[in-house]
Amino acid sequence: MLEGKVAIVTGGTRGIGYEIVKKFLNNKAKVVLFGSREESVKKAVSSLKEEGYDVFGLYPNLSSLDEVKNAYDEVINKYGKIDILVNNAGVSSATPIEKYTEEEYEKIVDINIKAVYNCSKVVVEYLKENGGVIINTSSMVSIYGQPSGVMYPASKYAVNGITKSLARELGKYNIRVNAVAPGITETDMVKNLPKEMIEPLIKTIPLGRIGKPEDVANAFLFLASDMASYVTGEILSVDGAAMN
Ligand code: NAD
């Protein structure tokens, strides 16, 4: 479904991002994964290589426009173009507002909003040559809010705003911009959240289970492919109808 395409996946070292990388590779894309640290990038790249995939990884600071530009230059040097950007890197939070620190606020804003803005801003000049795709990882909490950790849902509302606005701004270049809003998905991010928060939520899910990274990655594959050629500005929920 992605033969001949070059894709960048931020936060591709584990969880949902890792599964998106595998899904794209299985569908014949060339993929560059971005992670936060050299060590985690090397680990992800070597385990993918062990599974027989040809992939390469970088670890720019996504909140620095210059570092993002340099990383894109490396992708262009290697593959000559960029067709698909997946803004997936993210950090969650469950801290009550009275306990929020300035550092936590800034960390969430930097990775969940500024990185999406930076990576999207710099990719436009590459995508606009032949058209292309940007897909952002939003969240179920961008629709329903969350009972603590206010800046996490706030950041995902911002992701939805960026998605809908860039879809309108970049349509003239045949750049489609969409988001996937996962429900609770089985990754490290969820393992770090308190049980008291997760268990009552699972009881409300009509499909009776939390999502698997592959459930979510399938939606990214659809949106990245020509199967979604007339879909833009969409926030696609992949949440088992949780909270409905
Ligand atoms: P995860 O913690 O397993 O993976 C997060 C990824 O983001 C990692 O690859 C990590 O390297 C990257 N990352 C974190 N901080 C970074 C930084 N400062 N710079 C660069 N990269 C950084 O989490 P996940 O569950 O796979 O989350 C992926 C995305 O899905 C996030 O945007 C998250 O908000 C969203 N999401 C997750 C769930 C869930 O239940 N797991 C639900 C809804 C949305």
Side-chain angles (χ1 to χ4, degrees):
M1 282 169 81
L2 302 180
E3 191 155 16
K5 305 287 185 196
V6 177
I8 293 173
V9 179
T10 74
T13 57
R14 56 174 201 261
I16 292 170
Y18 188 80
E19 212 55 43
I20 296 169
V21 169
K22 282 205 331 196
K23 190 64 67 179
F24 282 12
L25 287 166
N26 281 331
N27 282 273
K28 304 252 172 83
K30 297 202 165 15
V31 183
V32 183
L33 66 84
F34 285 5
S36 53
R37 288 175 296 117
E38 179 176 9
E39 190 193 345
S40 55
V41 168
K42 277 190 170 157
K43 193 173 156 214
V45 168
S46 72
S47 62
L48 286 162
K49 286 196 166 154
E50 269 166 32
E51 288 186 61
Y53 297 107
D54 180 22
V55 65
F56 120 92
L58 296 167
Y59 41 93
N61 173 359
L62 301 180
S63 46
S64 154
L65 261 184
D66 285 342
E67 287 202 28
V68 171
K69 278 184 190 151
N70 292 339
Y72 286 2
D73 285 346
E74 285 196 51
V75 178
I76 295 294
N77 282 340
K78 192 163 168 68
Y79 293 127
K81 62 171 187 161
I82 302 169
D83 302 294
I84 300 162
L85 166 68
V86 173
N87 284 308
N88 168 74
V91 281
S92 68
S93 164
T95 309
I97 192 158
E98 294 118 299
K99 300 222 166 106
Y100 241 85
T101 60
E102 205 166 339
E103 290 71 34
E104 184 167 2
Y105 174 95
E106 277 165 7
K107 184 176 166 197
I108 303 267
V109 169
D110 266 2
I111 187 69
N112 292 11
I113 306 178
K114 194 174 178 195
V116 176
Y117 161 82
N118 282 349
C119 292
S120 304
K121 178 179 167 65
V122 186
V123 89
V124 172
E125 71 172 284
Y126 302 107
L127 298 189
K128 77 185 196 190
E129 281 180 32
N130 303 305
V133 183
I134 300 174
I135 314 172
N136 301 319
T137 308
S138 181
S139 168
M140 172 178 85
V141 303
S142 77
I143 299 160
Y144 305 106
Q146 185 174 286
S148 64
V150 64
M151 286 316 296
Y152 180 64
S155 70
K156 295 301 187 180
Y157 275 84
V159 166
N160 292 1
I162 292 171
T163 304
K164 290 199 170 278
S165 303
L166 288 184
R168 297 182 69 177
E169 184 175 339
L170 302 177
K172 60 179 178 281
Y173 302 126
N174 196 26
I175 299 176
R176 297 185 293 104
V177 187
N178 291 292
V180 174
I184 308 166
T185 311
E186 223 177 284
T187 67
D188 291 352
M189 182 175 276
V190 163
K191 283 178 210 147
N192 294 335
L193 292 174
K195 269 202 170 135
E196 313 82 79
M197 194 172 180
I198 299 302
E199 280 175 357
L201 283 172
I202 293 176
K203 291 194 182 128
T204 69
I205 302 173
L207 287 183
R209 64 171 177 90
I210 66 172
K212 297 189 180 78
E214 191 178 4
D215 295 321
V216 180
N218 284 332
F220 281 85
L221 174 61
F222 163 68
L223 290 171
S225 77
D226 291 343
M227 298 281 283
S229 53
Y230 200 52
V231 180
T232 193
E234 195 58 39
I235 316 295
L236 176 56
S237 290
V238 181
D239 61 6
M243 315 283 285
N244 281 348

